[in-house]
Amino acid sequence: MIATPDCLLISMLASTATPGLARTLVQTRLNNWGYPHIADDVCLVISELVTNAAAATPGREIRFQCSRDVTGVLVAVWDAAPTRPVIRAVEEVTLDALDVSGEHWDDNGGRGLPIVAALAVECGCCADPSGGKWVWARLKP
């Protein structure tokens, strides 16, 4: 990913706390740029991307980037896992279909990437030449 002079680029340890830290950092950056009106959307997107990276590489390094240019705000997350994210088919969820038992609690996810695609002007995934991948999304201010 290409960094701009006021780009936020941070390495973090993948954990359950990482999405919250990324949201806090991005919120401050967006306010400094005068983009508080898109902060909710950008924070939701970055939370989804960081959560996926942390789940793919628990306890390992991930990198988070937030930058802006003339076409919008770019958020991107790098992780070392070689597998590309897969968008699951969106299906209607009812309370009867959810399994909220302890052993299946995390199986109720899978809607994050469709949310990212709906909020972003464009999004994608690209391999990093040094290994791993960047998953990114661009949002318009």
Side-chain angles (χ1 to χ4, degrees):
M1 303 305 309
I2 298 172
T4 56
D6 61 350
C7 172
L8 175 65
L9 180 57
I10 296 177
S11 292
M12 298 184 273
L13 188 63
S15 75
T16 56
T18 308
L21 174 60
R23 284 191 305 271
T24 300
L25 294 170
V26 118
Q27 179 82 41
T28 302
R29 186 58 52 113
L30 292 170
N31 286 336
N32 290 343
W33 289 341
Y35 295 156
H37 56 286
I38 63 166
D40 288 343
D41 288 351
V42 174
C43 285
L44 179 55
V45 167
I46 199 58
S47 184
E48 292 296 338
L49 298 183
V50 169
T51 297
N52 288 350
T57 58
R60 296 176 63 194
E61 176 192 23
I62 63 173
R63 296 179 198 137
F64 160 71
Q65 176 181 329
C66 180
S67 59
R68 66 178 172 160
D69 58 23
V70 294
T71 61
V73 173
L74 175 70
V75 290
V77 177
W78 174 89
D79 68 61
T83 54
R84 298 173 73 88
V86 177
I87 296 177
R88 293 187 203 168
V90 178
E91 52 188 65
E92 184 176 338
V93 177
T94 65
L95 290 177
D96 294 331
L98 289 176
D99 183 352
V100 293
S101 62
E103 62 272 10
H104 295 288
W105 179 257
D106 288 334
D107 297 340
N108 292 304
R111 290 171 284 284
L113 290 177
I115 291 170
V116 170
L119 293 175
V121 174
E122 58 181 332
C123 57
C125 178
C126 56
D128 188 293
S130 62
K133 66 183 174 299
W134 285 95
V135 182
W136 57 272
R138 182 179 300 282
L139 291 92
K140 279 241 183 239

